[in-house]
């Protein structure tokens, strides 16, 4: 079945450091891929998405490219801020009977120190 | 209210209690979802509703009973829960299969 694997956390970086959070998936075909972010005490918010191979999703300085050759969707940001501290989830989507099914990775907790 | 709202935000209940979680979406969507988020486990999809019909039940124990009376509201009725059911319960909605899912803030449930 479908699955998503993220790098183990927690990840701790200094402000302005470069960020990479690895995500790989196992699935048949080419599902849509997502990064969601969860700030403390809140639900998940969509950060970015890509719907087909070689698409690059981007938002708030974050980027991720859909790589079908390596079945990966790694999240990157060139210069992180303290406000980026949160839990990040990689996910893939399947359509089901007029709705959809998201399969999530285990999440990566990111802490940015000033 | 905008987006997806959930009430209550926090709930403490004993194993013999009956309680309900409520979710309301103000986005005009036609699909709604319940997820369970436990510490150190991936988000688990529990139930999926499309046009008020349940289309997915991910082997969830019968002590969790969902209800979708209309496309804007989703409930999760709880009875005789176990301590291991303590978790954050998240509701989400989408416009069918094509759109992004939008999440509520969750209900933090503690079962004593």
């Amino acid at each position: 079945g479908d699955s998503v694997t993220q790098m183990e956390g927690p990840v701790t970086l200094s402000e302005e450091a470069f960020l990479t959070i690895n995500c790989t998936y196992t699935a048949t075909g080419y599902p849509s891929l997502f990064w969601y972010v969860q700030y403390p005490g809140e639900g998940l918010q969509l950060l970015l998405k890509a719907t087909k191979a070689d698409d690059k999703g981007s938002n708030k300085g974050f980027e991720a490219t859909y790589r079908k050759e390596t079945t990966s969707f790694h999240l990157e940001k060139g210069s992180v801020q303290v406000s980026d501290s949160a839990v990040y989830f990689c996910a893939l989507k399947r359509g089901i009977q007029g709705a959809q099914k998201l399969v999530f990775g285990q999440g990566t907790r990111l802490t940015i120190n000033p | 209210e905008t987006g997806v709202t959930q009430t209550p935000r926090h709930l403490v209940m004993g194993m013999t209690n009956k309680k309900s979680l409520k979710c309301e979406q103000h986005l005009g969507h036609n699909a709604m979802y319940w997820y369970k988020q436990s510490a150190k486990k991936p988000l688990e999809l529990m139930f999926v509703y499309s046009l008020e019909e349940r289309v997915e039940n991910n082997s969830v124990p019968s002590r969790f009973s969902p209800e979708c009376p209309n496309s804007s509201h989703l409930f999760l009725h709880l009875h005789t829960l176990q301590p291991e059911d303590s978790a954050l319960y998240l509701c989400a909605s989408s416009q069918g299969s094509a759109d992004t899912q939008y999440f509520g803030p969750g209900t933090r449930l503690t079962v004593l």
Side-chain angles (χ1 to χ4, degrees):
Chain A
D2 296 339
S3 66
V4 175
T5 302
Q6 290 179 234
M7 65 186 286
E8 288 285 338
V11 174
T12 302
L13 296 172
S14 297
E15 205 164 22
E16 299 184 2
F18 184 86
L19 169 70
T20 300
I21 300 178
N22 290 337
C23 171
T24 57
Y25 67 90
T26 301
T28 55
Y30 304 108
S32 296
L33 301 175
F34 300 81
W35 278 100
Y36 278 85
V37 59
Q38 186 177 32
Y39 298 103
E42 299 183 15
L44 275 68
Q45 302 175 26
L46 177 68
L47 181 59
L48 53 83
K49 65 181 181 182
T51 57
K52 61 183 187 296
D54 300 324
D55 265 2
K56 177 186 282 188
S58 61
N59 186 26
K60 299 180 181 179
F62 290 89
E63 293 184 341
T65 301
Y66 192 138
R67 303 279 189 205
K68 68 175 182 178
E69 323 80 56
T70 53
T71 61
S72 65
F73 193 54
H74 304 321
L75 182 68
E76 296 181 335
K77 186 174 185 181
S79 176
V80 293
Q81 306 300 313
V82 172
S83 57
D84 294 325
S85 298
V87 182
Y88 291 80
F89 295 90
C90 185
L92 64 82
K93 185 187 81 171
R94 289 290 187 200
I96 53 166
Q97 295 178 254
Q100 54 182 264
K101 184 173 181 175
L102 286 176
V103 177
F104 286 92
Q106 67 268 42
T108 302
R109 182 175 298 278
L110 174 67
T111 301
I112 307 300
N113 294 321
Chain B
E1 294 277 15
T2 58
V4 181
T5 58
Q6 290 186 244
T7 54
R9 292 295 307 274
H10 300 271
L11 178 63
V12 179
M13 59 187 289
M15 289 191 285
T16 57
N17 291 158
K18 290 185 180 181
K19 297 286 184 183
S20 296
L21 309 185
K22 178 183 176 182
C23 174
E24 184 173 1
Q25 59 95 1
H26 309 268
L27 300 167
H29 289 163
N30 59 12
M32 297 187 76
Y33 312 81
W34 280 117
Y35 290 87
K36 178 183 179 182
Q37 186 177 25
S38 307
K40 300 184 181 179
K41 290 179 71 174
L43 270 152
E44 302 170 64
L45 178 65
M46 300 175 72
F47 301 104
V48 179
Y49 277 82
S50 173
L51 298 172
E52 298 142 48
E53 295 288 327
R54 191 189 313 176
V55 298
E56 179 105 350
N57 174 345
N58 260 3
S59 303
V60 179
S62 59
R63 58 186 184 269
F64 295 91
S65 175
E67 178 189 3
C68 188
N70 55 62
S71 60
S72 299
H73 293 86
L74 184 65
F75 294 89
L76 189 63
H77 303 300
L78 316 171
H79 64 98
T80 58
L81 294 192
Q82 305 299 310
E84 60 264 29
D85 297 322
S86 299
L88 182 68
Y89 288 85
L90 292 164
C91 175
S93 70
S94 74
Q95 183 57 28
S97 61
D99 192 15
T100 302
Q101 277 188 39
Y102 293 83
F103 284 78
T107 295
R108 173 70 62 187
L109 174 67
T110 303
V111 182
L112 301 177

